């Protein structure tokens, strides 16, 4: 295709797709084909530009962004390979806010269709132009048209096949470009060779090309009229429609190839070169208009051992130079100290970055992942969604002396990964880290140890059990102590009674005749509330209990605030066991989201976890997905996500919120009290 009308300039392209679809291998093949590297590495050998961090090598998968630059036919491109695992997909959100286009890497695996659907829904919601690269074409079995039929439910827009595989003896030997009407024979790790269209492929080519033209003609009356009149359309019109309809989000073109063998890479690169929007069009899509100054989108903050904090950022408008001060939408000043070119784990100092380029900004300490920085106070172009963690661990340093170092390490990791949440629980003294799954949290713990040198211990976070009472009791509490000089004397009569669930604790006094002087009543209340907070007979904080001070006595010399406080606690300790104390556990309101073919499995999993299924329905706007609503005890939620993902090919998720406290009894209550109750645990 000629370059007529093609706009040049730096582009930024995201590589996205389901887990293990071959995104990092595609990045490697692109770098090899463009000459950015001289030898193509492979995942099995652990020698690729991407996934080179110690944590990624240990995990054996992409756990963070892989960023690399390449020059192709006179243009500069930055490719950002985003993790495919659901646990790390939060990494891609700030990236997709600043790229020109996404290449969705997929394969002919029906089990990965729900994961593909999740990715495509996000791209569609952002109106981000995207094409699909059908990878591992060398392992193709069956018709590529059948594969597209299988993948189509994942996309709300038509998947338009742009290339047709050529096969010989069941092996894919090349492809036919349906727009250019050219045949290409693949060569291992080399450019394909243009050949004459084999006679045996001509009928299939005509059928596939006609289908492609009919799909794009749905949005072009001129092309539709030509097809109806059997007029051969000009190639320029065909390409114009393909480009415009992809950029407008009306179609998703499909290219084929094998990243592992370097097949189909040149055709993919040429499609990107001709069809990816420019940064100016990206600004329009993002609603930035024509900014007067510099605008930069922060895609990722990284803590490096040598250079400190760095920000991978896209220059959407203007330019960025060393020493420039940019400002966040909420007014934080961010001074740039050095600019760097990124190639995987390696960085190289560079000069000022121009509009469209993607660079690493050095030591921009105030910047956060997802920020939009500018010289003219531009609002954030893409607000980061609230993270909804689904698994948690309590972390503590192996050695007490590392408390401060652990706190510092966690703070830096939270800056890099805003999908994590850190919660300090005063009741248990635990530091709880909340993430998106077992691997997500394991990577964080490994990073704390390897990058920051702080070995930690992990444990299952304590559940916020409570206790309450079933019946009322009247009790006298007396504190009397004589040890020379002034003694201590306090005497109270208390009525302890249960309250409706969720009412909280209450205190009132009904004193007559001044038997307990007014100045001591607040001390009685303080003693009662301190007892309830510290834990009742079962060893847990007490809820939904009302206490009334009805009577008592005092001594003009020996009574004091402390004496009445102690008397109240004596009364509570003696009276509460008479009130039939019961253990309460928190119950969560849970909504599970899963593909419909996994609904029966989820409906079996939840009751095994003492869950009560309230109902289920089709997920609104998601064909082939369901939502299951249930009430599940918090103690059963800890590793639920592991089982859900196992039952849903890795795509199941849930949202939860506290619903109510429910009584538990029998052996389970005894086990909980014995293991966690403050009195039993020595707390």
């Amino acid at each position: 295709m000629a370059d007529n009308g093609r706009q040049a300039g730096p582009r930024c392209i995201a590589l996205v797709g389901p887990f293990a679809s071959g995104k990092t291998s595609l990045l490697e093949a692109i770098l090899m084909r463009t000459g950015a590297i001289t030898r193509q590495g492979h995942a099995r050998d652990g020698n690729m530009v991407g996934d080179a961090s110690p944590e990624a090598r240990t995990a054996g998968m992409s756990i963070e962004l892989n960023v690399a630059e390449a020059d192709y036919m006179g243009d500069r491109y930055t490719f950002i390979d985003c993790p495919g695992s659901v646990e790390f997909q939060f990494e891609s959100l700030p990236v997709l806010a600043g790229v020109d286009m996404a290449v969705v890497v997929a394969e002919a695996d029906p089990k990965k269709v729900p994961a593909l659907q999740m990715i495509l829904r996000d791209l569609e919601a952002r109106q981000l132009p995207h094409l699909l690269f059908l990878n591992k074409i060398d392992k193709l079995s069956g018709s590529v048209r059948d594969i597209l039929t299988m993948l189509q439910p994942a996309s709300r827009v038509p998947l338009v096949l742009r290339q047709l595989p050529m096969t010989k003896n069941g092996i894919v030997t090349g492809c036919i470009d349906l727009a250019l009407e050219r045949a290409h024979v693949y060569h291992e790790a080399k450019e394909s060779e243009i050949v004459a269209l084999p006679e045996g492929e001509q009928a299939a080519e005509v059928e596939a090309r006609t289908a492609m033209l009919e799909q794009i003609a749905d949005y072009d009356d001129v092309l539709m009229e030509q097809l109806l009149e059997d007029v051969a359309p000009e190639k320029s019109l065909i390409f114009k429609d393909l480009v415009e309809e992809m950029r407008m989000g009306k179609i998703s073109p499909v290219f084929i190839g094998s990243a592992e063998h370097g097949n189909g890479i040149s055709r993919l690169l040429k499609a990107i070169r001709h069809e990816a929007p420019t940064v100016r069009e990206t600004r329009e899509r993002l609603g930035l208009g024509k900014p007067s100054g510099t605008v930069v989108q922060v895609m990722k903050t990284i803590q490096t051992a040598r250079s400190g904090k760095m920000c991978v950022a896209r220059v959407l408008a203007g330019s960025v130079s060393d020493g420039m001060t940019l400002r966040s939408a909420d007014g934080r000043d961010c001074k740039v100290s050095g600019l760097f070119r990124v190639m995987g784990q390696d960085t190289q100092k560079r000069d000022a970055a121009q509009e469209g380029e993607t660079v690493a900004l050095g030591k921009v300490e105030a910047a956060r992942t997802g920020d939009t920085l500018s010289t003219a106070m531009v609002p954030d172009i893409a607000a980061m969604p609230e993270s909804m963690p689904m698994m948690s661990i309590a972390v503590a340093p192996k050695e007490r002396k590392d408390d401060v170092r652990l706190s510092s390490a966690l703070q830096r990791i939270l800056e890099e990964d805003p999908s994590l949440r850190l919660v300090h629980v005063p009741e248990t003294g635990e530091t709880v880290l909340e993430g998106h799954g077992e691997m997500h949290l394991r990577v964080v713990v490994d990073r704390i140890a390897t990058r920051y040198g702080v070995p930690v211990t992990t444990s299952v976070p304590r559940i916020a059990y409570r206790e309450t009472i079933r019946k009322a009791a009247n009790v006298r509490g007396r504190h009397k102590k004589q040890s020379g000089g002034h003694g201590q004397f306090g005497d109270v009569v208390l009525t302890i009674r249960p309250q409706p669930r969720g009412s909280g604790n209450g205190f009132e006094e009904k004193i007559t005749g001044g038997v307990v002087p007014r100045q001591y009543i607040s001390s009685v209340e303080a003693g009662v509330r301190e007892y309830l907070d510290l834990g009742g007979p079962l060893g847990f904080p007490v809820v939904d209990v009302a206490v009334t001070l009805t009577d008592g006595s005092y001594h003009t010399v020996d009574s004091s605030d402390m004496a009445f406080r102690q008397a109240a606690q004596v009364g509570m300790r003696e009276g509460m066991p008479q009130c039939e104390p019961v253990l309460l556990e928190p119950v969560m309101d849970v909504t599970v989201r899963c593909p419909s073919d996994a609904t029966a499995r989820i409906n079996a999993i939840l009751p095994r976890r003492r869950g009560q299924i309230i109902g289920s329905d089709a997920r609104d706007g998601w064909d082939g997905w369901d939502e299951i609503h249930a009430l599940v005890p918090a103690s059963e939620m800890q590793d639920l996500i592991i089982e859900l993902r196992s039952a849903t090919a890795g795509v199941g998720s849930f949202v939860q919120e506290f619903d109510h406290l429910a009584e538990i009894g029998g052996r389970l209550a005894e086990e909980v009290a014995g293991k966690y109750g403050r009195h039993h645990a020595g707390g």
Side-chain angles (χ1 to χ4, degrees), residues 222-256:
V222 173
L223 179 58
M224 178 64 77
E225 187 174 334
Q226 290 179 350
L227 294 180
L228 291 173
E229 295 176 357
D230 287 330
V231 175
E234 293 286 336
K235 283 190 174 66
S236 59
L237 174 61
I238 295 171
F239 273 103
K240 173 179 171 292
D241 283 354
L242 286 168
V243 171
E244 289 183 356
E245 291 172 19
M246 185 272 290
R247 290 184 181 180
M248 295 172 67
K250 293 179 178 178
I251 64 169
S252 179
V254 179
F255 294 80
I256 63 174

Side-chain angles (χ1 to χ4, degrees), residues 10-11 100-101 129 246-247 272 275-282:
R11 310 290 170 93
D100 300 314
M101 179 184 185
M246 185 272 290
R247 290 184 181 180
I272 292 171
E275 300 176 29
T278 64
V279 68
R280 291 178 289 283
E281 291 165 306
T282 297

Side-chain angles (χ1 to χ4, degrees), residues 291-296 315-320 324 326 373-378:
S292 57
T294 295
V295 180
V296 169
V315 184
L316 293 171
S319 62
V320 179
M324 175 182 280
L326 302 170
L373 308 179
S374 67
T375 54
M377 289 295 287
V378 172

Side-chain angles (χ1 to χ4, degrees), residues 51-167:
D51 292 352
S53 71
E55 298 90 359
R57 293 275 166 87
T58 300
M61 60 187 286
S62 295
I63 59 169
E64 58 198 349
L65 305 180
N66 294 309
V67 182
E69 279 191 8
D71 288 315
Y72 183 66
M73 297 182 72
D75 288 332
R76 176 154 292 270
Y77 297 85
T78 300
F79 293 94
I80 304 182
D81 164 31
C82 302
S85 167
V86 205
E87 296 190 32
F88 299 98
Q89 278 184 2
F90 206 91
E91 289 269 319
S92 68
L93 301 186
V95 172
L96 298 178
V99 298
D100 300 314
M101 179 184 185
V103 173
V104 184
V105 185
E107 58 183 306
D109 185 349
K111 293 180 181 177
K112 293 186 177 180
V113 172
L116 179 63
Q117 185 179 18
M118 291 174 66
I119 292 162
L120 290 176
R121 285 297 160 89
D122 187 34
L123 299 180
E124 290 160 0
R126 295 172 181 273
Q127 298 181 318
L128 179 62
H130 55 276
L131 60 80
L132 193 142
F133 181 74
L134 185 57
N135 194 21
K136 307 179 185 179
I137 199 68
D138 51 307
K139 300 175 183 177
L140 178 69
S141 60
S143 159
V144 72
R145 299 289 296 279
D146 290 341
I147 292 170
L148 252 62
T149 300
M150 176 189 72
L151 298 179
Q152 183 59 64
S155 175
R156 283 175 165 158
V157 300
L159 299 177
V160 177
L161 189 64
R162 291 279 300 270
Q163 295 173 310
L164 193 67
M166 295 191 301
T167 59

Side-chain angles (χ1 to χ4, degrees), residues 24 43 45-67 81 83 88 91 300 302-305 343-346 416 439 443-444 446-447 450-451:
T24 308
D45 301 325
N47 60 352
M48 296 192 295
V49 170
D51 292 352
S53 71
E55 298 90 359
R57 293 275 166 87
T58 300
M61 60 187 286
S62 295
I63 59 169
E64 58 198 349
L65 305 180
N66 294 309
V67 182
D81 164 31
F88 299 98
E91 289 269 319
K300 178 73 174 176
I302 305 169
Q303 297 288 344
T304 67
M343 179 65 78
Q345 294 290 295
D346 298 327
E416 283 190 27
M439 180 61 75
V443 165
V444 172
D446 288 347
R447 190 167 286 162
T450 56
R451 187 185 295 181

Side-chain angles (χ1 to χ4, degrees), residues 653-672:
S653 66
F654 64 80
V655 292
Q656 63 173 328
E657 61 180 4
F658 172 77
D659 190 78
H660 67 281
L661 291 169
E663 288 187 20
I664 52 174
R667 180 174 296 179
L668 180 58
E670 291 175 7
E671 290 176 359
V672 170

Side-chain angles (χ1 to χ4, degrees), residues 602-629:
I602 306 305
N603 284 340
I605 289 170
L606 294 175
R608 290 201 299 267
R609 292 174 173 266
R610 297 190 291 126
Q612 177 190 356
I613 296 175
I614 305 301
S616 63
D617 205 349
R619 186 176 179 184
D620 189 29
W622 286 70
D623 294 338
W625 284 67
D626 288 338
E627 287 189 337
I628 303 164
H629 184 204

